[in-house]
């Protein structure tokens, strides 16, 4: 592989969300229609199903769909989409028998920190402290509580009054992406089972054999085969870095739940309700709910876990009602090995608490498409830089997920106590939390631009869970009540605007489905 050789063929193995996202990103970047010297082929098995879950997204998805050239109206119409403005965390801070606790994390809607940053006032003033942090710094939690959509019916595609993401049907989304990739972006699709991965002496993949007579050769192979990581791990011996000692959940029971009646309210946010041994996601799509219980099999048996989900849904359940998914938690130490790059579940996975799956694969596919060298000579260098970035992204994502558990005061089970074992905290997170005991986080605490979660996300979660930053040493600086009242007035005006101009979430979705 030392010879300089142009990259002409890319083969992607796996047709789940990750495979088709990677295909669209590569095709957009390389535009094979215009430059016919590079071809992109996606091979997927007609027999092995996709994982079929992954209903929550983050706002990056808006930019991605727009970049791919997919209309938002078509996406909403075809993928059972609803708008996601936030995640509502219920019972995370304390167990339900110790009082009611809930907070919103408005993914990437920046807390309103001007004209005055209300955070120190909120921390210092016990009266203000009774109001939820998110309610003081953003209109969006009020919009969520009102159950309205994030945009007006005639707002332009992909724009709204508030930033937003989507909830979607994973199967339908994969279908939309594949159709777009094939029909509009020139990606070729082969339906076949890959039965063997052949490597050369340098441990580069030379070709794949399938259950069809022909073989598949390429300069670069993209492994999107899901948790099995057929190419990167099984064929090339890639090393998986497990995070199961840090993030303790390892199993999910997923179920689709019909609405009680067709007009039922659709919450414009994901609901995440903590349980004794894990947490339950509850996502409202247009036609149904998607619900799943994520738990630690070390702390709870399957029978008990099924009972937990059944109690939440207030209906009896048997194993045939749910899909059991074993989760492989962690990431590949090197997501790019020789001429193979892993994307999707084959690259890594952490529990879907902050909908990081599609986010990670979307971002890494875009980064990869941009780092793709023109010829094989620079492949090792690109791989090295890519791997450093991806590892950093996974590490910081693990830290952010862990933060939710570590800040919890729940002590109603060993699961929560084990989660607060400080040995399972990274040095980076430990240091940050130590510093933030006496200082509000600032943008300078976040050193890597590639990290997915930054100041705004941390503020919502830290203070949503009442992290006790002690500012008593500088209390005299925060006495400007007029500025504070001005901010509160602006929030009140924002709430009035929502009431006047924003429609109930379901009404907005019906409008888009009917009129585009
Ligand atoms: P898969 O969907 O497993 O696809 C694998 C593909 O490889 C299939 O097409 C299969 O046919 C093919 N394949 C396998 N072997 C072969 C072979 N030998 N030959 C040919 N083809 C082969 N993400 C989010 O963003 N938000 C969420 O809310 C969220 N919730 C989740 C909840 C759970 C419980 C889990 C486990 C994941 C969740 N995710 C979520 C992650 C999300 O499901 C995945 O990121 C996403 O679906 C991508 O999966 P994938 O394409 O990597 O793998």
């Amino acid at each position: 592989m030392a010879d300089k050789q142009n990259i002409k063929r890319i083969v992607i193995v796996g047709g789940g969300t990750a495979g088709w996202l990677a295909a669209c990103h590569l095709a957009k970047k390389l535009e094979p229609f215009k430059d016919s010297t590079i071809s992109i082929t996606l091979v997927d098995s007609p027999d092995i199903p996709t994982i079929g879950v992954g209903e929550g997204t983050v706002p990056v998805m808006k930019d991605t769909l727009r970049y791919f050239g997919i209309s938002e109206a078509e996406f909403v119409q075809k993928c059972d989409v609803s708008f996601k403005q936030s995640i509502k965390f219920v019972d995370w801070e304390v167990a339900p028998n110790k009082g009611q606790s809930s907070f919103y994390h408005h993914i990437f809607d920046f807390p309103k920190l001007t004209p005055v940053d209300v955070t120190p006032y909120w921390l210092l003033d016990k009266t203000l402290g009774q109001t939820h942090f998110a309610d003081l710094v953003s209109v969006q939690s009020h919009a969520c509580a009102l159950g309205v959509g994030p945009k007006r019916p005639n707002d332009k595609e992909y724009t709204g009054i508030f930033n937003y993401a989507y909830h979607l049907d994973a199967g339908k989304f994969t279908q939309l992406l594949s159709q777009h990739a094939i029909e509009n972006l020139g990606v070729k699709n082969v339906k076949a089972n890959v039965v063997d991965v052949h490597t050369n002496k340098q441990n580069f993949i030379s070709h794949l054999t399938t259950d069809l007579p022909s073989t598949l050769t390429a300069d670069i192979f993209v492994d999107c085969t899901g948790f099995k990581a057929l190419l990167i791990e099984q064929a090339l011996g890639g090393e998986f870095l497990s995070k199961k000692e840090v993030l303790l959940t390892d199993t999910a029971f997923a179920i689709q739940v019909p609405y009680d009646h067709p007009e039922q309210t659709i919450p414009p946010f994901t609901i995440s309700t903590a349980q004794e041994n894990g947490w339950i996601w509850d996502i409202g799509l247009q036609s149904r709910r998607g619900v799943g219980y994520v738990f630690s099999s070390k702390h709870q048996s399957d029978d008990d876990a099924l009972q937990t989900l059944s109690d939440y849904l207030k209906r009896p359940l048997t194993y045939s009602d749910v899909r059991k998914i074993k989760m492989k938690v962690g990431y590949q130490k090197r997501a790019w090995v020789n001429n193979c790059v892993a994307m999707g579940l084959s690259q890594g996975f952490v529990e879907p608490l902050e909908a990081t799956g599609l986010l990670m694969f979307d971002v890494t596919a875009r980064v990869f498409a941009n780092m793709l060298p023109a010829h094989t000579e620079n492949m090792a260098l690109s791989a090295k830089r890519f791997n450093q970035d991806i590892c950093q992204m996974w590490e910081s994502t693990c830290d952010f997920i862990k933060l939710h558990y570590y800040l919890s005061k729940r002590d109603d089970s060993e699961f929560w106590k084990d989660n607060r074992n400080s040995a399972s905290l990274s040095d980076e997170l430990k240091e940050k939390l130590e510093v933030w005991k006496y200082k509000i986080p600032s943008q300078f605490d976040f050193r890597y631009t590639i990290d997915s979660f930054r100041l705004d996300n941390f503020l919502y979660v830290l203070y949503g869970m009442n992290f006790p930053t002690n500012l008593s040493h500088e209390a005299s600086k925060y006495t400007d009540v007029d500025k504070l009242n001005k901010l509160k007035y602006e929030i009140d005006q924002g709430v009035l605007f929502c009431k006047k101009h924003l429609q109930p979430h379901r009404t907005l979705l019906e409008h888009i489905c009917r009129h585009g």
Side-chain angles (χ1 to χ4, degrees):
M1 269 291 163
D3 295 347
K4 196 162 161 175
Q5 182 187 316
N6 282 351
I7 288 173
K8 293 197 185 117
R9 283 180 60 97
I10 300 173
V11 165
I12 300 167
V13 186
T17 324
W20 286 110
L21 269 176
C24 288
H25 272 298
L26 284 165
K28 273 303 284 183
K29 185 70 192 163
L30 302 174
E31 302 200 51
F33 273 161
K34 289 184 194 148
D35 177 0
S36 57
T37 57
I38 296 182
S39 76
I40 302 170
T41 304
L42 185 147
V43 54
D44 63 330
S45 161
D47 310 312
I48 305 167
T50 61
I51 195 141
V53 282
E55 298 180 329
T57 64
V58 297
V60 174
M61 188 55 75
K62 267 197 330 261
D63 304 328
T64 297
L65 294 174
R66 185 167 32 197
Y67 170 64
F68 288 168
I70 294 174
S71 121
E72 186 178 49
E74 184 190 5
F75 167 60
V76 170
Q77 287 156 0
K78 289 191 172 163
C79 301
D80 210 359
V81 167
S82 64
F83 292 107
K84 171 180 172 184
Q85 301 199 48
S86 191
I87 303 174
K88 183 176 185 179
F89 289 91
V90 181
D91 295 336
W92 274 82
E93 195 188 347
V94 290
N97 63 351
K98 295 270 172 73
Q100 283 222 315
S101 66
S102 71
F103 70 95
Y104 284 107
H105 173 204
H106 306 307
I107 17 162
F108 308 108
D109 173 59
F110 307 125
K112 203 164 159 31
L113 304 177
T114 53
V116 59
D117 178 1
V118 76
T119 316
Y121 291 88
W122 180 81
L123 283 164
L124 285 161
D125 183 329
K126 287 204 172 53
T127 338
L128 270 184
Q130 283 167 5
T131 311
H132 288 297
F133 176 72
D135 288 349
L136 275 184
V137 293
S138 168
V139 181
Q140 198 156 20
S141 50
H142 303 276
C144 286
L146 290 169
V148 293
K151 62 193 291 172
R152 292 163 296 192
N154 297 324
D155 279 339
K156 279 202 205 119
E157 296 216 316
Y158 298 116
T159 57
I161 298 299
F162 300 112
N163 199 4
Y164 59 86
Y166 309 99
H167 298 128
L168 50 84
D169 179 298
K172 290 178 179 168
F173 183 49
T174 307
Q175 230 175 331
L176 179 75
L177 286 176
S178 63
Q179 194 184 349
H180 186 68
I182 295 166
E183 291 175 8
N184 303 326
L185 301 177
V187 176
K188 298 186 193 89
N189 184 210
V190 176
K191 294 270 173 224
N193 288 297
V194 172
V195 288
D196 218 342
V197 181
H198 301 266
T199 52
N200 63 17
K201 279 189 193 138
Q202 289 83 27
N203 205 30
F204 280 64
I205 298 175
S206 54
H207 63 284
L208 309 173
T209 41
T210 68
D211 52 3
L212 297 178
S214 56
T215 58
L216 289 165
T217 55
D219 304 296
I220 292 209
F221 293 85
V222 184
D223 183 345
C224 296
T225 58
F227 281 133
K228 74 163 72 151
L230 185 67
L231 279 62
I232 197 101
E233 230 178 294
Q234 292 189 31
L236 297 186
E239 198 182 334
F240 186 79
L241 187 75
S242 172
K243 285 283 170 184
K244 66 179 186 196
E245 304 301 328
V246 178
L247 299 170
L248 308 184
T249 64
D250 61 1
T251 312
F253 283 149
I255 182 169
Q256 298 186 353
V257 183
Y259 284 119
D260 294 337
H261 57 87
E263 292 310 310
Q264 195 167 322
T265 309
I266 305 175
F269 47 86
T270 302
I271 304 166
S272 159
T273 308
Q275 308 292 326
E276 264 179 49
N277 295 292
W279 59 277
I280 290 176
W281 81 75
D282 192 340
I283 284 176
L285 300 182
Q286 290 170 35
S287 69
R288 63 167 173 84
R289 284 158 67 197
V291 181
Y293 179 35
V294 176
F295 64 98
S296 157
S297 65
K298 204 172 128 194
H299 295 87
Q300 191 176 32
S301 68
D302 279 5
D303 285 354
D304 280 352
L306 193 66
Q307 190 57 47
T308 303
L309 187 56
S310 160
D311 291 345
Y312 178 84
L313 291 170
K314 298 189 177 61
R315 57 174 259 209
L317 290 178
T318 63
Y319 284 108
S320 60
D321 294 319
V322 297
R323 274 191 58 213
K324 179 179 173 183
I325 303 166
K326 282 306 280 181
M327 306 187 310
K328 183 175 155 192
V329 179
Y331 62 89
Q332 299 292 335
K333 266 190 174 170
R334 290 187 303 147
W336 186 337
V337 176
N338 300 338
N339 63 340
C340 173
V341 181
M343 305 262 173
L345 298 172
S346 59
Q347 182 190 93
F349 177 74
V350 296
E351 60 187 88
L353 188 63
E354 288 280 356
T356 36
L358 296 177
L359 165 71
M360 289 297 290
F361 314 148
D362 187 6
V363 173
T364 55
R366 194 160 187 171
V367 172
F368 171 64
N370 279 282
M371 283 177 107
L372 194 69
H375 39 72
T376 50
E377 194 186 43
N378 284 339
M379 193 118 81
L381 207 52
S382 298
K384 183 180 146 216
R385 297 167 72 83
F386 178 83
N387 288 336
Q388 280 168 348
D389 285 351
I390 301 304
C391 285
Q392 171 57 32
M393 281 174 75
W394 278 110
E395 280 301 318
S396 71
T397 300
C398 287
D399 275 356
F400 188 58
I401 303 293
K402 183 71 187 177
L403 180 77
H404 299 63
Y405 288 104
Y406 191 69
L407 295 182
S408 174
K409 300 173 191 76
R410 285 189 73 137
D411 55 5
D412 50 326
S413 67
E414 291 309 307
F415 172 75
W416 289 97
K417 290 178 197 160
D418 288 350
N419 256 305
R420 278 199 297 281
N421 173 0
S422 63
S424 65
L425 232 56
S426 73
D427 289 343
E428 173 74 12
L429 185 56
K430 255 185 224 160
E431 279 177 18
K432 278 183 175 146
L433 290 172
E434 201 51 42
V435 170
W436 295 338
K437 276 185 186 165
Y438 298 99
K439 188 188 139 314
I440 295 170
S442 80
Q443 72 207 71
F444 303 107
D445 291 319
F446 300 87
R447 286 176 285 174
Y448 302 97
T449 46
I450 195 136
D451 288 350
S452 304
F453 299 100
R454 302 173 61 77
L455 174 65
D456 313 290
N457 315 100
F458 273 78
L459 286 178
Y460 277 126
V461 174
L462 281 170
Y463 298 129
M465 292 184 85
N466 291 306
F467 180 75
T469 302
N470 183 341
L471 290 186
S472 53
H473 55 288
E474 49 181 330
S476 58
K477 276 164 58 184
Y478 301 108
T479 51
D480 193 344
V481 180
D482 284 350
K483 273 191 187 167
L484 188 60
N485 285 339
K486 184 164 182 290
L487 180 73
K488 280 163 117 186
Y489 175 77
E490 281 180 15
I491 299 277
D492 287 346
Q493 291 302 302
V495 176
L496 286 177
F497 179 92
C498 291
K499 286 184 178 162
K500 198 163 163 201
H501 297 287
L502 295 179
Q503 296 182 326
H505 188 201
R506 185 183 279 284
T507 312
L508 173 68
L509 291 167
E510 283 170 358
H511 176 93
I512 296 171
C513 285
R514 264 200 308 273
H515 306 289

